[in-house]
Amino acid sequence: MNTTPSSIPRTSAVVFTSAQRLDDGVVERRFTLGEVPGILWTPETATPSDPRPLILLGQPGGFGLDRMYPRLVGRALSAASDGIATVALEGPGSGTRPPLPGADQARADLRRALAAGEPVSDDIIDRLILPVVEQSVPEWRSALDALLRLPEVDEPVGYAGGVIAVGVRLAVVEPRIVAAGLFAGSYVPRATLEEARQVTIPLHVLLQWDDEGNDRQAALDLFDAFGSREKTLQANLGGHTGVPPFAGDDAARFFARHLK
Amino acid sequence: MNTTPSSIPRTSAVVFTSAQRLDDGVVERRFTLGEVPGILWTPETATPSDPRPLILLGQPGGFGLDRMYPRLVGRALSAASDGIATVALEGPGSGTRPPLPGADQARADLRRALAAGEPVSDDIIDRLILPVVEQSVPEWRSALDALLRLPEVDEPVGYAGGVIAVGVRLAVVEPRIVAAGLFAGSYVPRATLEEARQVTIPLHVLLQWDDEGNDRQAALDLFDAFGSREKTLQANLGGHTGVPPFAGDDAARFFARHLK
């Protein structure tokens, strides 16, 4: 079994490796931060005298930045049209990064349970999700330290996307994050349900009503548990990958309301 | 017990009784249709050569037009800013209209059950809601006949608001209604749950997560039952009357998407 040391020391600085101007006046810059690659999108009108709020774009576990790029850039362009910067990081165990300890075994156990038509046990969910949380959360926090030293981005910060357990932990521990748009599309560890009660920031939670791989009741229980005074659940018909375009628009308005 | 004859013959014409221009270029006209009062709001730019789609503004049972006016005019101005006309009717048993047969008894039984901490029986729900459905639906359809003869309004038509059982029945029987924004804030008769499977138009369903008077699971079951291929549930924290302003904005965008 590997051990995975923390891959972004808290003193790391963003090292830009490429830059291009996309349509719509958005600058896309690839970077590394310690050992971790990432992409930062900023409206080209962002300047040191007019810095922009930042949304951290979370990703489903196990998919790399390259595979997720089309969806990420779509969200980046949408946020930029509201004047907001966005950033994505290669997740632990994803893309070119080394696998997380125990991840292969947990995925094999998950596949076996699903193939046998058995319920997915809490133990499998914990082994699948908690290592991602343990590794992702400090990486995002170190990335935030580094990114907020760039003159063209500034607080407040939002978190958007999956893994939902990562978003919940960040919402609890990272005070610079003031709003989160979460995708109820991954398994929910028992510990996450407990942590949810400590979340107080405004939340916008997307649920695909017919998600093949997930437990609708677990998602509803999680939504119920959140301690936030402003929380919205938006459930849309369709499977895991069928989030309709207007749901993205509604999430974008949620962030525009809270970050600007 | 009263009997309540149908109050709007299908051949009735709209008789305007007053008109005023609101801020934002919206014309508000009060009218009667048979014995039933109503209010029509149209953007003043609506003309015979540029007629506007129409949203029927449903209301919670038992509240009169006067009491609901502030909320109704808010929705009317919002729709008008998207170029859409809106109309409200005094509901059966509401305002100055005669009480519905059995309504007082059903409400007394409801209060008794709530005071005793008992579950509200299907029988009470049926006696409370079904007479409203039976009377409202033909009235809305006759009103639609009359309103669509006005040169400044035209199909398509949407239905927005409560009583949810009225919206479900209208969505099933009235082909001119192409989209519905429903408020899951009233009791759901068993018959409505069955009818929901026949609904195929796009739906936007609002649910107040902590609604004091209603059964959250019944609302979720109803959402699940709808046969529509596009359906969105938006649940917000708060009680029956705590719908947040942004929820109204999201509903407005739903109608703008489907009526224009």
Side-chain angles (χ1 to χ4, degrees), chain A residues 47-116:
Chain A
T47 63
S49 62
D50 185 16
R52 300 313 170 85
L54 179 67
I55 298 176
L56 313 180
L57 298 180
Q59 301 170 64
F63 294 146
L65 268 186
D66 285 348
R67 175 157 166 197
M68 291 299 292
Y69 178 81
R71 269 184 268 182
L72 292 168
V73 77
R75 291 200 250 162
L77 291 175
S78 164
S81 73
D82 289 320
I84 299 172
T86 45
V87 63
L89 285 184
E90 191 71 90
S94 294
T96 55
R97 298 190 58 188
L100 282 171
D104 287 347
Q105 184 62 51
R107 279 198 211 108
D109 292 345
L110 173 67
R111 277 194 298 270
R112 197 173 304 125
L114 293 174

Side-chain angles (χ1 to χ4, degrees), chain A residues 197-236:
Chain A
R197 300 180 204 288
Q198 302 170 48
V199 174
T200 57
I201 60 172
L203 298 177
H204 182 85
V205 182
L206 283 180
L207 170 65
Q208 286 298 96
W209 196 249
D210 307 297
D211 202 326
E212 310 80 8
N214 286 289
D215 181 342
R216 184 193 298 164
Q217 192 58 49
L220 294 171
D221 290 345
L222 181 64
F223 179 72
D224 195 43
F226 285 122
S228 308
R229 287 183 58 192
E230 182 191 326
K231 59 180 181 182
T232 298
L233 175 73
Q234 189 187 97
N236 292 294

Side-chain angles (χ1 to χ4, degrees), chain A residues 96-133:
Chain A
T96 55
R97 298 190 58 188
L100 282 171
D104 287 347
Q105 184 62 51
R107 279 198 211 108
D109 292 345
L110 173 67
R111 277 194 298 270
R112 197 173 304 125
L114 293 174
E118 293 167 4
V120 179
S121 71
D122 285 330
D123 171 64
I124 294 176
I125 293 173
D126 285 353
R127 288 188 286 119
L128 201 62
I129 303 289
L130 292 182
V132 178
V133 176

Side-chain angles (χ1 to χ4, degrees), chain A residues 146-162:
Chain A
L147 290 159
L148 290 174
R149 285 195 294 270
L150 299 174
E152 63 272 34
V153 296
D154 200 0
E155 298 184 45
V157 177
Y159 179 88

Side-chain angles (χ1 to χ4, degrees), chain B residues 63-95:
Chain B
F63 295 146
L65 267 187
D66 284 347
R67 177 159 166 194
M68 291 299 292
Y69 177 82
R71 271 184 267 182
L72 292 168
V73 76
R75 292 201 249 161
L77 291 176
S78 165
S81 72
D82 289 321
I84 298 172
T86 44
V87 64
L89 284 184
E90 191 69 270
S94 295

Side-chain angles (χ1 to χ4, degrees), chain A residues 204 209-210 216-217 220-221 223-237 244 246 250 253 257-258, chain B residues 204 209-210 216-217 220-221 223-224 226-238 244 246 250 253 257-258:
Chain A
H204 182 85
W209 196 249
D210 307 297
R216 184 193 298 164
Q217 192 58 49
L220 294 171
D221 290 345
F223 179 72
D224 195 43
F226 285 122
S228 308
R229 287 183 58 192
E230 182 191 326
K231 59 180 181 182
T232 298
L233 175 73
Q234 189 187 97
N236 292 294
L237 190 72
F246 61 81
D250 289 348
R253 277 183 291 268
R257 212 161 61 234
H258 289 289
Chain B
H204 183 85
W209 196 249
D210 308 297
R216 185 194 298 165
Q217 192 58 50
L220 295 171
D221 290 345
F223 179 73
D224 196 45
F226 285 122
S228 307
R229 287 184 58 193
E230 182 190 327
K231 59 180 180 181
T232 297
L233 175 73
Q234 187 185 100
N236 292 294
L237 190 71
F246 60 81
D250 289 348
R253 278 184 290 268
R257 215 162 58 235
H258 289 289

